[in-house]
Amino acid sequence: QVQLSESGGGSVKTGESLRLSCSVPRDIRRTSTMIAWFRQAPGKEREGIAAIVTNSLYAFYDDSVKGRFAISLDDLNKMLYLQMNSLKSEDTGMYYCAAMTGEIRLLWSNPEQYGSWGQGTQVTVSS
């Protein structure tokens, strides 16, 4: 398993920004095919927000965050970031980073194919 640890969550007002960070191993590109951010709101299932393929850095986004969120991988600092702009109340939830190995067989946002998870960081957006 890959060791992951999120940080950067907090409470903000609608329209504000936050940047989430997830520490990743130095060899993340060798050990993981894809790394992603998931969100779980209270009473709801965990949903994929954004993912990045480690060898190509191609990114996927859920429609709900396209144009507002940006995922990036910083190899030098061993960090996966999620820049979140124009935050809305519906963005509230626990945010997790996750990593998968092997061939991508399912939709990028399917949590079943991710074998490593961080502990999560809470984001609360209020008006």
Side-chain angles (χ1 to χ4, degrees):
Q1 282 201 344
V2 175
Q3 295 296 316
L4 304 169
S5 181
E6 306 91 336
S7 60
S11 297
V12 296
K13 300 291 187 184
T14 54
E16 294 184 342
S17 298
L18 269 179
R19 188 177 75 164
L20 304 183
S21 302
C22 175
S23 64
V24 300
R26 182 175 299 280
D27 59 350
I28 187 67
R29 292 208 194 199
R30 181 180 63 81
T31 59
S32 300
T33 308
M34 188 161 59
I35 42 180
W37 287 98
F38 284 78
R39 174 174 69 202
Q40 188 164 22
K44 294 189 176 181
E45 293 186 353
R46 195 168 294 188
E47 59 177 347
I49 297 300
I52 190 165
V53 181
T54 55
N55 63 1
S56 66
L57 299 184
Y58 184 85
F60 299 93
Y61 294 96
D62 185 75
D63 286 344
S64 66
V65 305
K66 277 182 182 176
R68 299 190 299 123
F69 290 12
I71 188 171
S72 60
L73 178 61
D74 182 343
D75 293 299
L76 182 63
N77 293 302
K78 301 182 294 177
M79 285 290 187
L80 176 72
Y81 296 112
L82 185 68
Q83 178 66 43
M84 306 187 296
N85 300 324
S86 303
L87 282 161
K88 305 176 181 180
S89 58
E90 50 263 43
D91 294 318
T92 294
M94 187 70 80
Y95 283 70
Y96 300 89
C97 64
M100 64 162 288
T101 59
E103 187 178 347
I104 301 172
R105 297 180 180 274
L106 304 173
L107 193 64
W108 67 268
S109 55
N110 190 324
E112 293 181 9
Q113 64 186 337
Y114 292 85
S116 299
W117 294 83
Q119 80 288 350
T121 186
Q122 177 68 35
V123 173
T124 303
V125 185
S126 59
S127 58

